[in-house]
Amino acid sequence: MRKSMKGALKASVPAGLLLTALATSGCVTIIESKGKAEPTPVAATPAEVAKPAAVEVNPVWPTTKDAGLIDADVEAKIDALMADMTLEEKVGQTVQADISAIKPEDLKTYPLGSILAGGNSAPGGNERATPQQWLDLADAYWRASLEYPSKTKIPLLFGIDAVHGHSNLVGAIIFPHNVGLGATRNPQLMKDIARVTAYEMSLAGVDWTFAPTVAVSRDKRWGRAYESYSENPADVAAYAGKVVEGLQGDTGGDEGIKPGHIMASAKHFLGDGGTLNGKDQGDAQISEEELATIHNAGYPPSIEAGALSVMASFSSWNGEKLTGSKYLLTDVLKHRMGFNGFVVSDWNAQGQVPGCTTTSCPQAFNAGIDMFMAPDSWKGIYENTLAQVKSGEISEDRLNDAVRRILRAKIKGGLFTLGAPKDRPMAGHWENLGKAENRAVARQAVRESLVLLKNNGSLLPLKGGATVLVAGDGADNIGKQSGGWTITWQGTGNANSDFPNGQSIFGGISDAVKASGGKATLSVDGTFKGKKPDVAIVVIGEDPYAEFQGDRPNLDYQSGDRKDLALIKKLKKAGIPVVTVFLSGRPMWVNPEINASDAFVAAFLPGSEGGGVADVLIGDKAGKARNDFKGKLSFSWPKFANQQPLNLNTPGYDPLFAYGYGLTYADKGDLLPLSEDSGLKDAGVVNVDTYFNAGRVRAPWKFYLADADGAVAGDHGTIKSPKGVVTQATVDAGAQENGRLLTFTGQGKGEAYFASDVVDLSRQSTGELAISITYKLDAAPTGPVLLALGRDRFVFQEMNVASLLKADGQFHTLKVKLNCFAAIGQNMAQIGMPFALRSEKPLKLTYTAVKLASNEGDAVCPK
């Protein structure tokens, strides 16, 4: 028997958090009867929709107000549709395929209910496709789906991850990620952002976004921490319903979604922000009461706002995969909390359920998954689910319940009245993409999300008429300031030209300073000529990442060689006051960088409206503020790099900057020097994805040259293998000593490789990641060039890439999918040599970068 709510909360929830959690999660009212807590009765739903729970549900889980998803007219329409549907059509509704793995004509044979464009999927594989190509693609799938021979004509549902604007679409507005939005403390702004996102999605004929993310991130080492609004469940609860209302419209769940709005999906149910050590897709080893009162906070308001779908989490709760949890998906979410929309799984998550594969998982369906997100496994999951219904392994009642929920969402979502994507009134009006009034919403969001951590000597605001040097690799880089889930899955590979309606932070500063008669100069490395500038603004921070690629063992920003700290100190040594603008998906340990700066601003990931930064930093000609700082930390800032988890109202809470901290221009006084003891004892960050970049080998990896007589380690200058079969020299390649020239003499087998302690790349190899080398060849290879990856130089797998190398004297990037190596037998959990090149024939190759990179439709498997 599960503990009563009253006793359980006392036992498991910190006292300071209890009232907040109860007040914001919509917790059930408790009636005391003979010492036992019982929930207030919930209004009955139709028997065919939600049958009584088979098990007792802990009353710590809240009930919710009826959102109006069920009404007689809609249910009658569903009855009529289902009466004419074949078993094949019903099963088809429960399967979603990715556009990279299904063609429109396939839908004439397979009656699938949905498609998605995942993080690295796009029309023709081109992630920088035009908006019109996106609309053409949506339209082609929609029309093809209605050519399936059937009495019923059920429109196809098209979904994408529009998690901070319609971020798949070149030209769309990119809003700040949730980590920054949480600092605004502005629920109405959240609603406005969601409304604009829905509007821009409607222009492209997309029906559904996998948002909002309502995770409560309790460990900022998590690679998806930036998708969370706050460590405080009260904040997440305050914003979740507003985002759903903005996406679906105020009455979308009740009266139906109107043109210009789209379907929402609250995610990821449940506990993804509470996994042990912040591991993505990991295990939340917490009590049921903590799961319910902290991590569930965003779901009751989402349900009450009418969310038509919920996405189940990849992660586990105390060892059980959420995708296979009947208790949480059915008994808690659907029955106890009264959710009447449908539950969709995450990307091939069914394959992680014990006893399942990606193509067969009756366990997940029986647990309460209504729609399988089966991107490349759709055909197998369709055929096996159909067979499992026929055999009785999945009951027809369970199938009918899932189909009813999906059809209800499609009817409420307007799919039966909107028509084909190209026929919709708003579709294709690209003059409205990125229009001024919508960009203004994004710019407001940037202004309000900035958090001022330090302003010694009241350096800010800067005089608009000043001479300003703008430095750092984030200064003129819209891709970096936007972060992951931006055009590409990882947010990498983007140029400013990919944001035709956007502005970099430098662009905004330049405009603001120029308007007051000043001048801003861009110098990434901080060099300048002539007169010393009045002030420098240095824009630095994390490079883009998504999901598990962002997982970290600690929060030290740049362990070892702190190149950005060196830049700040160089400018300070020249007598120039420095304002540092820090771009990141989470608070990080940056004490040395804060100490070296006169002012320090946490800008998080502001998106495509970089001018919003200048709106606050740059004053008028006299230096009077045009806008004040409003942002307050929604995540506690660590005092040490290993200080995780760190959350408000928990035992031992001792942050550097507490939850809610944020200076304004009215605050005076200087921040005293901070301790530069990271707490790591030189442990550093285990870097698994970058081996060589910007002219240096990245720790902990080391570079080696080898031949028949053994191996030699080295990097700078000229080094040779023991017999001199292969040499490497430092060369200038776009920047001073930025590249390395490898020369294979052809006098035997030579090899060049990176190695360190063994790391686990199994998760990277199941995603769309590749080993990448940026190289230049002046002459074509005269024999095989073998790319190898393995445990060490003696246990590995290799492939010949000679035919893939371009020999035109220009720099190119070759990407080879990691799963190519897994497919030929490499154990991806045991990688100590992530990259090696071997040749027995003469070869000269210059390279500037070797790392793991996102497959943006440009990665291959050598044949």
Side-chain angles (χ1 to χ4, degrees), residues 519-536:
K519 181 181 179 182
T521 302
L522 176 67
S523 174
V524 172
D525 65 1
T527 58
F528 61 91
K529 296 179 180 179
K531 185 181 177 182
K532 182 175 69 177
D534 297 319
V535 67

Side-chain angles (χ1 to χ4, degrees), residues 307-391:
L308 290 169
S309 68
V310 164
M311 183 181 290
S313 178
F314 270 122
S315 63
S316 303
W317 174 46
N318 291 331
E320 182 186 27
K321 282 291 180 181
L322 267 295
T323 303
S325 175
K326 183 177 185 296
Y327 177 71
L328 290 175
L329 295 179
T330 298
D331 300 324
V332 170
L333 177 62
K334 294 179 178 179
H335 295 164
R336 172 71 175 181
M337 293 201 291
F339 174 61
N340 291 316
F342 71 92
V343 177
V344 62
S345 62
D346 210 332
W347 184 279
N348 272 335
Q350 68 275 6
Q352 296 186 13
V353 175
C356 291
T357 66
T358 55
T359 57
S360 178
C361 195
Q363 295 93 319
F365 199 80
N366 287 330
I369 295 296
D370 300 307
M371 180 183 287
F372 285 112
M373 183 184 288
D376 55 358
S377 57
W378 62 268
K379 189 177 293 185
I381 205 78
Y382 168 78
E383 292 171 346
N384 285 318
T385 302
L386 180 60
Q388 288 150 7
V389 174
K390 289 179 177 179
S391 72

Side-chain angles (χ1 to χ4, degrees), residues 627-676:
N627 296 276
D628 203 346
F629 282 92
K630 292 185 177 181
K632 305 296 180 184
L633 291 178
S634 59
F635 291 101
S636 303
W637 203 281
K639 185 176 288 185
F640 302 102
N642 57 355
Q643 197 180 16
Q644 286 297 312
L646 175 68
N647 295 293
L648 175 71
N649 292 331
T650 55
Y653 183 68
D654 183 27
L656 178 63
F657 301 115
Y659 167 91
Y661 180 88
L663 301 174
T664 68
Y665 284 137
D667 293 310
K668 305 300 178 183
D670 288 357
L671 180 70
L672 296 176
L674 305 172
S675 167
E676 296 193 6

Side-chain angles (χ1 to χ4, degrees), residues 215-285:
V216 182
S217 178
R218 305 289 282 181
D219 193 319
K220 289 68 174 180
R221 292 173 293 182
W222 184 34
R224 304 189 78 153
Y226 65 72
E227 297 185 54
S228 175
Y229 294 108
S230 178
E231 69 191 35
N232 185 354
D235 295 339
V236 177
Y239 307 147
K242 291 296 184 182
V243 176
V244 172
E245 289 174 0
L247 292 168
Q248 295 191 169
D250 289 342
T251 59
D254 184 5
E255 299 175 9
I257 292 175
K258 305 298 189 296
H261 290 281
I262 50 95
M263 285 172 50
S265 185
K267 70 180 189 184
H268 306 86
F269 191 83
L270 187 63
D272 50 338
T275 60
L276 183 66
N277 297 323
K279 183 178 180 181
D280 190 43
Q281 303 181 24
D283 189 14
Q285 298 178 13

